[in-house]
Amino acid sequence: MKILGLIIAVLTGTLLIYTTSDFPSWGDPSSPASTHLSPHYIEKTLEETSVPNIVTAVLADYRGYDTMFETTVIFGAGVACFFLLRVPRRKEPVERLYRHTLTGMTLRIKDLDEVPENLDEFERIDTLWAPYDLIIKTVCRLLIPFIQLFALYVIAHGHHSPGGGFQGGVILGASFILLAVSYDLRTAKERLREKLGGILCAVGVLIYAGTGALCLLLGLNFLDYSALASILHVDPITARSHGILIVEIGVGLAVMATMIWIYDNISSEGKYEEGL
Amino acid sequence: MRYAPCVLILPMSDLITHIVANYNYWIYITLMMIGLYAIIAKNNLVKKIVGMNIFQTAIILFYISIGAKKGATIPIIEHAHGDHGAGSSAVHAIEYINPLPHVLMLTAIVVAVATLGVALALALKVYQQYNSLEEDEILDQIREK
């Protein structure tokens, strides 16, 4: 199998390298990819949408359908992970570890039908519990608000600088995953409950599709944001810029919630009890 | 077209200059074939998933290099602060790199992450069922049943 794979890879590689002789050279401004549609985007984007970042404008406006279904794919991936891995709360008695915070003594409680939730002097720990790491926890606690602030900046400033819903959403999701890694999964889940995460994921897609449907209701094409001008009380060109921001927020929500959703399901094997 | 004809009929020195001129494509093809080899030949499911990701990365790099232009800057129009282009000088396509591959790859990266998540979830399910991620061991267990 290894030799067969090597032969296939080398043969395919040779064929592909043979075809590169027809390709335009590096950085050629008159290559076919840069001559047909892209000059229109570069030259007309600013006057048509008033968004300086062409990538954002093409992503959310000119190719709005593509991005909408891309967001749906993300949502579908989150749902797929959920249905594959999530297990309902088990009925059999559980075994849990509790650590007395003052003395550092650990109790293993077996065959517990009802687990008391409010134990002031005890904290619940994972079975593979690593010793309390003060530095990591403190640094992460200090950093996470700034990471989230930066994520919001990336989403909101996507019109003028590299950024947008996908990038900001991933950073926002990473901040919650950092919380789950540096503390434990339960702490992160207390901040953003599983149900809320799922709802946010769906709400993100709904904001995107709903904006498109709103444009349809206002008498223009689906995802033609200039229809929003009458609602936002701005001229149609600025309305397209605002419409892009609205769908970027939807994309950001969906991506953030899906990243957290996938991480939670995979790291805890769908049990949500103990994560990485 | 004014691009060079096929490699095989070129003399040796031309061939070398041609390779140097198109070295970016050769790198992506090498990377892509590493990924393809991992998908075909590796026995471990997680290594196959890693191979799939290397393959995707090669395609992303390929698209980005298609969009490059010599001497051009990133596709964000300079000195524009929401004035609809009025008053500012005309924008020339040659000054900015092609934004279209960037848009396509931006979404492709996110889809790559989503497929990675689903693939890992499936691998986890396989591991729970067979207690192994090695393909031959899993196939043996399936045959024994």
Side-chain angles (χ1 to χ4, degrees):
Chain A
M1 199 63 192
K2 280 197 158 63
I3 296 188
L4 186 69
L6 198 63
I7 291 168
I8 291 173
V10 168
L11 270 181
T12 322
T14 320
L15 278 174
L16 286 174
I17 285 172
Y18 177 68
T19 56
T20 57
S21 56
D22 293 336
F23 282 14
S25 55
W26 165 264
D28 184 6
S30 57
S31 68
S34 304
T35 43
H36 295 286
L37 192 56
S38 88
H40 175 87
Y41 286 147
I42 293 170
E43 285 162 8
K44 300 286 181 214
T45 296
L46 195 59
E47 56 184 272
E48 282 178 2
T49 65
S50 76
V51 176
N53 187 349
I54 305 168
V55 174
T56 303
V58 177
L59 183 84
D61 192 308
Y62 295 107
R63 296 183 62 88
Y65 277 96
D66 181 15
T67 313
M68 190 181 86
F69 287 108
E70 212 78 57
T71 317
T72 319
V73 167
I74 307 292
F75 176 68
V79 172
C81 277
F82 175 79
F83 281 123
L84 277 171
L85 292 171
R86 185 78 171 105
V87 284
R89 187 163 290 164
R90 284 173 298 172
K91 293 281 182 252
E92 71 251 35
V94 290
E95 180 187 307
R96 287 180 178 176
L97 292 182
Y98 286 90
R99 178 176 171 275
H100 192 240
T101 40
L102 297 175
T103 58
M105 203 159 56
T106 306
L107 300 177
R108 181 187 294 270
I109 305 173
K110 282 184 179 178
D111 297 336
L112 200 63
D113 287 331
E114 282 190 9
V115 182
E117 289 296 331
N118 294 319
L119 295 166
D120 289 336
E121 292 183 347
F122 289 89
E123 60 168 356
R124 208 185 140 194
I125 58 174
D126 293 346
T127 37
L128 295 170
W129 183 68
Y132 187 75
D133 199 328
L134 187 69
I135 295 171
I136 290 178
K137 283 192 173 183
T138 313
V139 169
C140 289
R141 197 178 63 216
L142 288 173
L143 270 182
I144 284 168
F146 292 103
I147 294 174
Q148 291 176 337
L149 198 64
F150 177 67
L152 294 178
Y153 159 77
V154 167
I155 295 177
H157 210 253
H159 287 49
H160 296 271
S161 63
F166 285 109
Q167 299 92 319
V170 167
I171 299 170
L172 208 51
S175 72
F176 280 97
I177 292 174
L178 181 64
L179 185 69
V181 171
S182 60
Y183 284 73
D184 50 13
L185 192 63
R186 289 181 301 278
T187 316
K189 284 295 98 188
E190 276 166 24
R191 295 297 169 95
L192 187 76
R193 300 250 171 222
E194 187 198 1
K195 203 174 274 180
L196 180 65
I199 290 170
L200 277 181
C201 193
V203 162
V205 182
L206 186 73
I207 287 175
Y208 203 132
T211 312
L214 190 64
C215 299
L216 203 63
L217 285 176
L218 289 169
L220 284 177
N221 285 330
F222 191 72
L223 289 174
D224 188 349
Y225 308 128
S226 47
L228 300 172
S230 55
I231 295 179
L232 299 169
H233 302 295
V234 286
D235 57 307
I237 294 168
T238 317
R240 283 178 81 165
S241 166
H242 291 341
I244 289 170
L245 180 64
I246 294 168
V247 300
E248 291 275 20
I249 290 168
V251 169
L253 276 180
V255 170
M256 173 201 80
T258 311
M259 291 301 135
I260 300 167
W261 212 5
I262 290 176
Y263 170 81
D264 291 345
N265 273 307
I266 288 180
S267 69
S268 68
E269 298 188 23
K271 295 189 191 78
Y272 279 75
E273 287 275 304
E274 295 177 358
L276 284 172
Chain B
M1 297 299 282
R2 57 190 192 77
Y3 305 124
C6 108
V7 174
L8 298 181
I9 58 170
L10 292 171
M12 198 59 200
S13 57
D14 280 6
L15 182 68
I16 290 167
T17 48
H18 203 80
I19 291 170
V20 173
N22 272 352
Y23 72 97
N24 51 329
Y25 298 119
W26 295 61
I27 294 170
Y28 312 143
I29 289 167
T30 313
L31 207 56
M32 191 187 272
M33 287 309 117
I34 291 170
L36 186 67
Y37 175 76
I39 293 173
I40 296 171
K42 286 293 169 189
N43 204 20
N44 190 305
L45 290 179
V46 173
K47 286 180 182 171
K48 278 179 192 284
I49 294 169
V50 171
M52 187 182 78
N53 263 291
I54 295 172
F55 198 104
Q56 286 169 332
T57 311
I59 291 169
I60 288 166
L61 286 170
F62 170 68
Y63 266 74
I64 294 300
S65 90
I66 288 262
K69 285 180 196 167
K70 271 208 180 72
T73 181
I74 56 168
I76 297 173
I77 291 162
E78 288 166 334
H79 313 299
H81 291 287
D83 55 358
H84 303 188
S88 59
S89 56
V91 180
H92 300 293
I94 200 139
E95 291 167 7
Y96 299 96
I97 58 172
N98 190 351
L100 208 47
H102 293 250
V103 175
L104 297 175
M105 288 309 106
L106 187 61
T107 50
I109 290 167
V110 183
V111 169
V113 173
T115 51
L116 175 70
V118 176
L120 284 176
L122 284 169
L124 202 60
K125 227 35 200 170
V126 169
Y127 185 78
Q128 286 172 353
Q129 183 81 25
Y130 296 103
N131 249 325
S132 169
L133 280 173
E134 303 294 324
E135 204 178 40
D136 49 355
E137 290 175 19
I138 296 165
L139 286 173
D140 283 345
Q141 287 188 41
I142 292 172
R143 282 196 201 97
E144 279 167 19
K145 277 180 185 169

